[in-house]
Amino acid sequence: MTSVPFDSTVALLREGYPFVSARCDALGTDLFTSRIALQRVTFMRGAPAAELFYSSGHFTRRGAVPPTVQHLLQDKGSVQGLDGAAHRHRKHAFLAVMGPDAMPGLGDLFEQEWRAALQRHDDDRFVLNDLAEEILTRTACRWSGIPTDRVDVERLTRELSLMVGWSGSQGPGNWYAQWRRRGTERWAAELVEQVRRGELAPEPGTALRVLAEHADENGEELPSELAAVELINVLRPMLAIARFITFAAVALHENPKWRERFAAGDVEDLEPFVQEVRRYYPFFPVVPGRTVDSFTWDGHRFDRNEWVILDLYGTCHDRRLWDDPEAFEPERFRGWSWDDDPYSMIAQGAGDHAGTHRCPGEWSTVELLRRAVVLLSTSGLTVPAQDLTVPLNRFPTMPRSGVVLARG
Ligand code: HEM
């Protein structure tokens, strides 16, 4: 029988994404307390837990994210570490850059870069994840107002990829990624300073321009190092969309009826397909927070400063919310809208985008996945025999082969 160990570190690392749900199912609960690295932690899953975690005001991200993860992902001083009015003010800047209106332009840039990359790389076979990371780095730079002559694309792609790939690991790989990140931060801070000195003039509304000119809620310009961290918080997750693109390629390969429909120009279910990719495949397993006060919820007394981990993957696979959650069924998203229920489809966070820590990059993710799915479906590229299994005990994970595609 599944039980909750005194310390869950080993079980979590061994079982990976399903760890929290398996315990909740076995115990008939949505909440249990254990330890990680001997620190007491409360795990939660499900839509009501997501609402509590994102929208009640009882939680902060401060002191919740392990430093090895934090330095490679959002980093200190960034929007994710802010609360209340300061958070809403900074978040507004992100939403101004990457709201729905900006999506057609972003998608068009991505398509241009995709076609150009497939012409540049004329190998018979290539690894989709690697190519998509390069395409997304170029797209993200152009879209953010960074002139391509100020970018060593190969190097930046490598640095951003290390940040994503090693964010969930401890040890030398993580340290190396942190060391390489310092170079990215210096480069990004120099771009911010060039804008401030008037040596670079990115288009209004681009991330580089908006962040370089951003003043905090007290009217103070962000230190250039912090504006650089926030610029990286646009570039790095854009590259991370490559993982969803590899999952989309696997979904098309394993469910050829969808590929045939999209290839024939029938795109009515394109959005449902993309939403199902985000729900079904594993990306960020959980998100950690700390309570800012003490309160009781669902019979559990939360102490102030309690460490709490919300299960994103388990909520996206919760059979009370999704019929047959382990089946890939885009049809379930027909007629679905973002506003229907902001606490069930939580692969990229929950709640209202402006007022919570929900990901402001969701529209970008959906737009680029839509474009990639059509490009993949119409490409004539084939999927040779390879290992497409997805290890569930690697964070973040992806198909083992990275998805090899072949021409002809
Ligand atoms: C926040 C996942 C793409 C920028 C988040 C959160 C999650 C997430 C789970 C919530 C963190 C929390 O609650 O503390 C993802 C996944 C992506 C993705 C799986 C797929 C690749 C993007 C993109 C961008 C982006 C494309 C920008 C272009 C951000 C930022 C935050 C955030 C700035 C912090 C928001 C805040 O604290 O208010 N993301 N994201 N993400 N994401 Fe994403």
Side-chain angles (χ1 to χ4, degrees):
M1 196 194 117
T2 312
S3 62
V4 178
F6 172 76
D7 187 292
S8 293
T9 315
V10 173
L12 176 65
L13 292 177
R14 194 180 53 231
E15 295 172 32
Y17 288 82
F19 167 80
V20 181
S21 281
R23 296 299 174 295
C24 286
D25 288 347
L27 299 167
T29 178
D30 279 337
L31 182 153
F32 64 91
T33 296
S34 179
R35 284 180 163 69
I36 298 268
L38 299 177
Q39 266 198 68
R40 191 169 177 273
V41 58
T42 297
F43 290 99
M44 306 194 296
R45 68 128 189 226
E51 183 166 5
L52 174 79
F53 190 82
Y54 273 87
S55 301
S56 68
H58 286 305
F59 292 88
T60 179
R61 303 294 184 269
R62 275 187 220 195
V65 186
T68 47
V69 179
Q70 195 191 22
H71 287 149
L72 289 184
L73 297 184
Q74 298 279 331
D75 213 356
K76 281 198 184 129
S78 76
V79 61
Q80 199 199 20
L82 301 176
D83 295 310
H87 172 258
R88 279 194 299 279
H89 182 78
R90 183 89 57 85
K91 187 70 174 277
H92 187 261
F94 277 90
L95 292 171
V97 171
M98 54 188 72
D101 294 348
M103 292 306 108
L106 173 64
D108 290 349
L109 277 180
F110 174 77
E111 279 198 22
Q112 281 173 22
E113 291 296 342
W114 178 286
R115 291 183 207 288
L118 280 174
Q119 276 180 2
R120 250 191 336 269
H121 297 275
D122 53 3
D123 311 348
D124 288 345
R125 287 178 175 215
F126 59 88
V127 176
L128 176 61
N129 183 63
D130 298 348
L131 193 73
E133 286 190 344
E134 183 194 316
I135 293 168
L136 287 161
T137 301
R138 288 178 186 275
T139 306
C141 286
R142 285 179 64 195
W143 187 60
S144 300
I146 303 169
T148 31
D149 61 359
R150 312 278 170 118
V151 191
D152 177 341
V153 174
E154 200 177 315
R155 176 178 165 174
L156 181 61
T157 305
R158 175 91 182 114
E159 289 168 354
L160 298 173
S161 178
L162 284 167
M163 289 178 212
V164 175
W166 288 100
S167 59
S169 311
Q170 308 273 347
N174 180 286
W175 304 332
Y176 176 66
Q178 290 197 48
W179 178 69
R180 289 291 301 263
R181 182 183 160 115
R182 287 192 212 125
T184 329
E185 287 177 351
R186 281 194 295 275
W187 163 81
E190 176 56 24
L191 286 172
V192 169
E193 279 163 18
Q194 285 174 356
V195 175
R196 289 180 177 171
R197 292 196 298 264
E199 294 163 18
L200 254 185
E203 290 288 314
T206 55
L208 176 56
R209 176 83 173 256
V210 168
L211 293 167
E213 292 177 349
H214 183 71
D216 69 15
E217 70 285 10
N218 303 314
E220 307 236 347
E221 195 174 63
L222 295 186
S224 52
E225 297 76 21
L226 185 49
V229 161
E230 296 294 34
L231 181 61
I232 296 171
N233 280 335
V234 176
L235 304 179
R236 184 203 61 254
M238 299 259 321
L239 165 132
I241 297 172
R243 286 174 187 251
F244 270 144
I245 293 178
T246 65
F247 287 133
V250 173
L252 290 169
H253 176 63
E254 291 178 350
N255 305 276
K257 76 167 183 186
W258 293 105
R259 194 187 61 231
E260 285 154 20
R261 284 179 55 182
F262 300 142
D266 175 359
V267 289
E268 205 176 314
D269 283 329
L270 186 56
E271 174 103 10
F273 182 90
V274 162
Q275 297 294 5
E276 180 69 343
V277 168
R278 294 198 311 132
R279 181 200 72 84
Y280 178 79
Y281 288 101
F283 205 128
F284 280 123
V286 295
V287 59
R290 278 194 187 273
T291 51
V292 292
D293 53 5
S294 53
F295 59 95
T296 301
W297 182 82
D298 201 20
H300 177 86
R301 176 84 188 151
F302 286 86
D303 294 329
R304 192 171 169 274
N305 202 30
E306 184 163 329
W307 194 27
V308 179
I309 291 184
L310 175 72
D311 183 7
L312 301 178
Y313 178 78
T315 304
C316 287
H317 288 251
D318 183 339
R319 63 178 64 86
R320 294 164 302 180
L321 301 172
W322 313 98
D323 284 340
D324 199 3
E326 300 312 324
F328 182 84
E329 276 177 5
E331 292 90 340
R332 70 174 89 240
F333 280 104
R334 282 182 184 154
W336 179 88
S337 115
W338 294 95
D339 306 323
D340 281 352
D341 178 2
Y343 302 106
S344 302
M345 169 56 193
I346 63 167
Q348 292 178 234
D352 152 56
H353 288 94
T356 73
H357 288 286
R358 187 176 190 132
C359 178
E362 279 195 292
W363 297 284
S364 312
T365 308
V366 169
E367 176 70 21
L368 297 188
L369 274 173
R370 288 172 62 111
R371 303 283 184 134
V373 165
V374 171
L375 288 162
L376 283 166
S377 301
T378 51
S379 65
L381 292 162
T382 57
V383 183
Q386 60 191 287
D387 185 356
L388 290 174
T389 56
V390 179
L392 287 179
N393 57 0
R394 267 177 44 186
F395 308 122
T397 191
M398 69 169 156
R400 280 184 213 273
S401 64
V403 182
V404 176
L405 296 181
R407 291 173 200 264

